[in-house]
Amino acid sequence: MVGAMLGWTAGAAVVATMLAAVSSTEVLRLLGLPDPGALTRYGLPAATAVGEVSAAVMVGSLLLAAVLVPPQRSGVLDVDGYRAVRTAGAAAAVWAGCALALVPLSLSDTSGQPVGVVFADPLPFLRAVGEIEVATAWLWTAGLAAVVGLGCRLVLRHRWTPLLLVLAVASLMPRAVTGHSSAGGSHDLATNSLVLHLVAVGLWAGGLAALVLHTVRGGGHLDLATRRFSALAAAGFVVMAVSGVVNAAVRVPLGQVFDGAYGFVVLAKGMALVVVGWLGWRQRTVAVTALAADPADRRAFTRLAVVESAVLAVTVGLGVALGRTPPPVGEQRDPSLVEEVLGYGLDGAPTPVRMLTEWRFDLLLGTAAVVLAALYLLGVRRVRAAGGRWPLRRTVGWLLGCLVLLLATSSGVGRYAPAVFSVHLAATAAIAVVAPLCLVLGAPLTLAARTVRPRPDGAAPGARDWLRAMYASTPVRALTHPAVAVAAFVGTFYLLYLAGLYDALAGSHVAHVLTNVWLMAVGSLFFWVTVGLDPLPRPPAPTARVGAAVVALAAYAFFLVSVINAQTVVAAEYYTSLRRGFFDDLAADQRLGGNLAWAVGELPLLLAAVLATVRWASADERRARRRDEQIDRDGDEDLAAYNAMLRGLDGVRGEADGPDRRR
């Protein structure tokens, strides 16, 4: 096992170091920096390659423990899962160590000073860590990897492994928002594509490496694990290939693919991915079939997996070298301030025609909208194929929500939202109010409960098990309390725009994406609690649902009135710095944004309040109808008891009046 890991890391490090050394002189020349020395020149790509291979092993091992092999019936990790978690812990320690080592190496590389100078007088460099994006990213990476490593030492129960897997994938993200992808033209597309690329590489390459180590250890359930991983690998290959092509196309014009070192590395990486894809296809058609026929025959799987993992390690090395190779200069022109900040230009002021025609596809949320629509339609098809029925209005609601999300993030609305506050606030209303309301009316949890198949006997917990566990978890029960849901929903608007948080976030592409994800999350939570068709873990009283909807309606209206009448302009410094040449009256643009957000969001919130009230009345009517049916069937027990009580009182009164009457 140790030999396999050393082989992968050595191969990646050698490829990365050799190719990066070829282009290092050109990098220094373009940056106008002196040579930082051999230790930085060779050590930085080597440490990056070793760290990224270790990160893949970390992610893959946690994937194996969480998804591919089953735990014991008690919920404690089985021996296979325990070994995988311990392997992930060791890989996380290496990943954290490499990330820490890359902090001074990055400082040396950025400043052009040897590492010895960095350590000789560290105070100026330590002060520069927070100012140099790459060094800060490596510090975040080291911290996240250390948390994963510590968690792997402490965890013994299976239910914690998905959380560790999420943290492990998160440790790859600081790398995605630095380097070539975070600067230059189209850096929004480059960053989004690199995020998808790194996640796909981590899950696919890491999962394959974990299966190889699992085979070497003689682990069980290999046939079930490979079948489940095979589907994941196919999706991972598609995502990795598409995101890689997009990222390369952003950096290398088609006519320069065969020119220069950058194009050469891109082609080499593309060829390696083709080889890996072919090996994966062979794995799926030959090895997995052989394991299904005879689980004890692991020879075909082992041969293909070892070769595939070796090629993937070389691919990681090529990716590291690509990050150290300067992209082609291309056409020389001075970008506008808008292009420098957003990564793309704007042709003029936003108009209805531009909103509809000037699209810029969001690789993260736009893709999510398309995938969610496709998965829902597949679920509906499965229900109908089984002879069931699914209301058309639910399908229409879900698809409408996906369409709203797509338009708000990928059409001209999404293109202009980062640069024009009025468009941004209208898009925010669509993402936080309109899309979630439509989505929850599609009853996705009910559809999932009817279509997601239970796991096979002996397999690790699957999607159905995780949905059930999340649904019944304490955090979900707490979050679905009406007071919590309405506070998170309404509080987000006040915190972002009235408390000044958006002033600090404006201009950051990463913050823009995370804010949209958060708005979708709190909006979906709020509407699930108030008008959702899916059952809640702890159903609130109908009056609580109505109260939450009315409070949100009033608070949202008050927020918009505050924005419209505000004496200060939200993120004024940021919008002034763009020098767009249109909508120069920022106060007027803010008033326009408040009115647009009112038009987009107030009616859906009013509809939610009406729906909650109607359901309250319907619930009372159903209770009254059931009560009447019970009375018709069994008689009115309460009325009978009341009459009996009155008869008893009459008897007591008669006995009390008897002596008086006799007198």
Side-chain angles (χ1 to χ4, degrees):
M1 181 176 69
V2 176
M5 292 182 63
L6 289 176
W8 294 329
T9 55
V14 168
V15 172
T17 303
M18 291 178 60
L19 292 176
V22 173
S23 59
S24 60
T25 303
E26 181 65 13
V27 173
L28 296 173
R29 185 189 67 80
L30 291 173
L31 295 176
L33 294 174
D35 188 353
L39 180 58
T40 300
R41 190 166 60 251
Y42 298 110
L44 193 148
T48 305
V50 171
E52 291 192 357
V53 170
S54 301
V57 173
M58 170 190 67
V59 171
S61 297
L62 289 172
L63 177 70
L64 180 75
V67 179
L68 302 183
V69 295
Q72 300 180 45
R73 290 185 178 275
S74 62
V76 176
L77 290 170
D78 200 354
V79 61
D80 295 325
Y82 178 82
R83 288 174 174 174
V85 169
R86 291 300 179 265
T87 301
V94 176
W95 179 219
C98 290
L100 281 177
L102 283 163
V103 174
L105 288 171
S106 298
L107 293 174
S108 170
D109 184 60
T110 304
S111 64
Q113 300 295 322
V115 176
V117 174
V118 175
F119 284 106
D121 189 10
L123 288 180
F125 290 97
L126 289 176
R127 286 194 294 267
V129 167
E131 301 174 1
I132 299 176
E133 190 179 39
V134 176
T136 304
W138 285 123
L139 273 181
W140 274 102
T141 299
L144 290 170
V147 170
V148 174
L150 179 61
C152 290
R153 298 297 300 175
L154 299 176
V155 163
L156 290 176
R157 301 193 70 85
H158 180 265
R159 68 170 179 262
W160 293 105
T161 54
L163 177 60
L164 289 176
L165 176 60
V166 171
L167 290 174
V169 173
S171 71
L172 305 175
M173 293 303 100
R175 184 82 170 90
V177 297
T178 58
H180 293 163
S181 294
S182 64
S186 300
H187 60 73
D188 58 327
L189 293 176
T191 300
N192 289 354
S193 61
L194 188 57
V195 167
L196 294 173
H197 195 73
L198 291 179
V199 172
V201 170
L203 294 175
W204 181 24
L208 181 65
L211 283 176
V212 171
L213 298 177
H214 183 65
T215 305
V216 172
R217 291 191 293 253
H221 308 286
L222 184 61
D223 54 333
L224 293 173
T226 51
R227 284 203 299 272
R228 181 170 286 187
F229 176 73
S230 180
L232 177 64
F237 175 76
V238 172
V239 172
M240 189 163 62
V242 173
S243 60
V245 168
V246 171
N247 199 277
V250 167
R251 295 286 163 249
V252 186
L254 185 60
Q256 300 181 16
V257 172
F258 299 98
D259 298 335
Y262 197 89
F264 168 77
V265 179
V266 167
L267 289 175
K269 188 177 179 182
M271 292 175 63
L273 287 177
V274 170
V275 173
V276 169
W278 179 79
L279 289 171
W281 175 77
R282 292 285 297 172
Q283 190 78 271
R284 188 183 183 95
T285 56
V286 176
V288 174
T289 304
L291 280 171
D294 183 7
D297 185 7
R298 305 184 174 195
R299 291 172 298 176
F301 171 79
T302 304
R303 285 195 302 269
L304 286 170
V306 168
V307 175
E308 188 177 357
S309 58
V311 177
L312 278 172
V314 173
T315 306
V316 171
L318 290 170
V320 173
L322 196 64
R324 295 287 298 162
T325 305
V329 177
E331 181 184 354
Q332 294 290 335
R333 68 179 187 87
D334 294 329
S336 65
L337 290 173
V338 172
E339 287 179 291
E340 288 184 358
V341 174
L342 304 184
Y344 55 88
L346 300 174
D347 296 332
T351 63
V353 174
R354 287 193 172 114
M355 296 293 99
L356 293 174
T357 59
E358 295 186 4
W359 282 58
R360 189 171 184 85
F361 190 75
D362 188 323
L363 288 177
L364 296 179
L365 293 179
T367 301
V370 175
V371 171
L372 288 173
L375 290 176
Y376 193 93
L377 291 176
L378 289 175
V380 173
R381 179 183 178 185
R382 180 173 292 182
V383 168
R384 292 177 176 172
R389 299 181 60 187
W390 188 256
L392 179 61
R393 63 181 181 276
R394 295 184 181 181
T395 304
V396 172
W398 181 268
L399 295 181
L400 184 59
C402 294
L403 178 61
V404 171
L405 178 60
L406 180 65
L407 292 174
T409 58
S410 301
S411 69
V413 176
R415 184 185 186 96
Y416 276 88
V420 182
F421 183 75
S422 56
V423 180
H424 164 80
L425 203 57
T428 296
I431 293 171
V433 181
V434 182
L437 174 60
C438 295
L439 291 175
V440 300
L441 293 179
L445 293 180
T446 303
L447 180 63
R450 294 181 60 179
T451 57
V452 178
R453 296 188 178 96
R455 57 172 167 161
D457 293 337
R464 190 183 188 90
D465 304 282
W466 292 121
L467 284 174
R468 186 184 297 114
M470 290 175 60
Y471 180 82
S473 65
T474 300
V476 171
R477 292 170 68 89
L479 289 172
T480 51
H481 190 281
V484 176
V486 73
F489 176 68
V490 174
T492 296
F493 293 101
Y494 285 82
L495 185 63
L496 270 176
Y497 303 108
L498 299 184
L501 182 59
Y502 185 70
D503 294 61
L505 300 179
S508 169
H509 172 69
V510 175
H512 176 71
V513 173
L514 292 178
T515 300
N516 284 341
V517 172
W518 174 260
L519 290 168
M520 276 291 300
V522 296
S524 299
L525 175 66
F526 169 75
F527 286 110
W528 181 25
V529 171
T530 53
V531 296
L533 299 177
D534 290 319
L536 290 163
R538 184 185 297 169
T543 53
R545 294 191 179 206
V546 174
V550 171
V551 167
L553 176 66
Y556 183 75
F558 183 78
F559 156 73
L560 292 177
V561 170
S562 301
V563 170
I564 293 171
N565 297 324
Q567 299 300 315
T568 58
V569 175
V570 177
E573 183 178 353
Y574 164 69
Y575 288 113
T576 301
S577 68
L578 291 179
R579 300 179 185 175
R580 300 166 301 193
F582 52 83
F583 286 11
D584 293 328
D585 188 345
L586 298 182
D589 184 51
Q590 182 166 305
R591 290 192 294 271
L592 175 61
N595 285 288
L596 288 175
W598 190 298
V600 173
E602 193 71 7
L603 183 59
L605 283 171
L606 178 61
L607 176 61
V610 172
L611 281 175
T613 305
V614 169
R615 289 180 183 176
W616 178 20
S618 299
D620 286 344
E621 183 180 348
R622 285 194 298 270
R623 283 195 297 270
R625 188 183 304 115
R626 286 195 298 267
R627 175 67 177 163
D628 292 340
E629 292 174 354
Q630 182 181 2
I631 291 173
D632 293 340
R633 184 177 62 253
D634 302 326
D636 194 337
E637 295 180 359
D638 292 339
L639 180 59
Y642 180 72
N643 290 332
M645 181 189 69
L646 292 179
R647 287 193 297 271
L649 290 175
D650 288 341
V652 171
R653 188 179 301 111
E655 293 177 0
D657 293 343
D660 293 336
R661 289 184 181 139
R662 285 194 296 271
R663 287 197 299 267

